[in-house]
Amino acid sequence: MIKLDNINKSYVNGTSLHVLKGLNLRIEKGEFVAIMGASGSGKSTLLNILGILDTYDTGTYYLNDILIKDLSEKVAAEYRNRLIGFVFQSFNLISFKTAVENVALPLYYQGVGRKKRNEIAMEYLDKMGIADWADHLPSEMSGGQKQRVAIARSLVTSPQVILADEPTGALDSTTSIEVMEILKSVNREGMTIVMVTHDPDMAAMAQKIIRIKDGIIGSIEKV
Ligand code: ADP
Ligand code: MG
C-alpha cells in the first residue's frame, strides 16, 4: 500500500543537505512498522513525505496506487484528510476546543454536519476509553488522555494509514505502554500504522523495525 522508489530529498538553504539518498520502502496493508535511526537520520523527513506534508526531489511515492507527486496544495490537503491520520509527540490538539471538537475537526473539513460529526467523534472517544472527557479542554487532561484524543482524531475519517512521529515521546513509561497498547489494538482491527520512535521498547511493540542509515533503509527486522 506504501511504495517508495528511489526517493531523494535534500534541504537547501545556503548549503544543501542530502537527507534521503535513493530510499526504497514497501509497507503492506495491515502492517505496524516502527522506523528507527539516529537523530538527524531523516525519520521525520520520511514521515513528512509519507504524510504529504513535504515534497521529495526525485523518485516515486505511491499510496494505494495513487502517485503522490507534484500535487497542488489543494489536492495534497484533500489526500491528507482522506487517506492519512496523524499522531504527533506534542499531540497538536487545538487548545480552545474540547476533546470532542478536536476529534470532530477532520470531519468538519470533509463537510460533515455538526450533529453527525459529533456523533462519530463520540464513538471514537468512547473506543479510546475517554468518552467522559469529551467536553474537557486539552489543558484539563493528562498527556495520556491527550494522546488518546489525538489517536481518536487520527481515526475519525477512517484513513488508509496512521503516521505517528514519536507518539510516546512526551509520555512517562507507564503511559507510553498504554498508548502503545491502544495503537496495537487499532492495528489488530486492520489499520496500517507507521511509527517513528527512538525508544527500542516502543519499537519492539510493533511488528517490524525499519532502520534508516545514511539516507537509505539500513535494515528491516521482524519483531
Ligand atoms: P530525524 O527525525 O531522524 O531526527 P529529520 O528528518 O528531522 O531527522 O532531519 C534530517 C536532517 O535534515 C537533519 O540534519 C535536520 O537538521 C535536517 N532538516 C530537517 N528539516 C529541515 C529543514 N526544514 N530545513 C533544513 N534542514 C532540515
Ligand atoms: Mg524527528
Side-chain angles (χ1 to χ4, degrees), residues 7-218:
I7 295 288
N8 282 278
K9 169 76 178 176
S10 296
Y11 291 110
V12 184
N13 27 23
T15 61
S16 172
L17 181 68
H18 197 178
V19 178
L20 302 181
K21 303 175 180 172
L23 182 142
N24 300 301
L25 177 65
R26 297 277 181 282
I27 296 171
E28 304 303 332
K29 188 168 169 47
E31 281 195 300
F32 187 171
V33 309
I35 294 177
M36 299 194 78
S39 176
S41 60
K43 302 182 295 295
S44 294
T45 300
L46 172 61
L47 212 68
N48 288 342
I49 290 170
L50 293 177
I52 328 180
L53 292 165
D54 201 356
T55 57
Y56 50 95
D57 303 324
T58 62
T60 53
Y61 167 26
Y62 284 91
L63 174 57
N64 266 0
D65 298 323
I66 303 170
L67 177 62
I68 306 295
K69 192 169 186 158
D70 302 327
L71 305 178
S72 68
E73 187 42 49
K74 183 166 179 282
V75 172
E78 187 197 312
Y79 284 177
R80 268 197 305 271
N81 179 269
R82 190 154 58 82
L83 302 173
I84 301 163
F86 294 95
V87 178
F88 301 94
Q89 172 172 355
S90 51
F91 321 119
N92 289 19
L93 300 175
I94 295 178
S95 60
F96 55 85
K97 288 190 181 291
T98 63
V100 68
E101 288 169 346
N102 267 283
V103 175
L105 199 59
L107 296 173
Y108 166 80
Y109 289 118
Q110 287 188 357
V112 179
R114 180 189 296 270
K115 185 158 179 285
K116 183 79 188 161
R117 65 177 189 259
N118 284 345
E119 220 171 83
I120 300 172
M122 277 310 300
E123 268 173 47
Y124 281 93
L125 281 176
D126 194 32
K127 265 187 124 161
M128 295 297 123
I130 45 167
D132 291 350
W133 291 80
D135 297 324
H136 286 258
L137 293 171
S139 59
E140 298 164 339
M141 299 189 196
S142 69
Q145 288 169 330
K146 281 189 269 201
Q147 201 58 304
R148 283 167 200 253
V149 174
I151 294 170
R153 180 187 54 188
S154 78
L155 293 170
V156 78
T157 53
S158 304
Q160 293 295 316
V161 60
I162 300 292
L163 303 179
D165 197 351
E166 301 272 8
T168 63
L171 306 174
D172 63 56
S173 55
T174 309
T175 311
S176 293
I177 290 169
E178 284 168 17
V179 164
M180 283 303 298
E181 288 296 347
I182 289 173
L183 290 176
K184 280 179 74 163
S185 73
V186 166
N187 170 251
R188 274 196 295 273
E189 289 179 17
M191 183 60 68
T192 311
I193 302 180
V194 182
M195 171 184 75
V196 163
T197 182
H198 64 256
D199 184 334
D201 292 340
M202 300 305 127
M205 292 180 78
Q207 297 166 339
K208 207 187 239 184
I209 300 176
I210 295 175
R211 287 197 167 75
I212 302 191
K213 196 169 180 244
D214 301 326
I216 58 170
I217 303 301

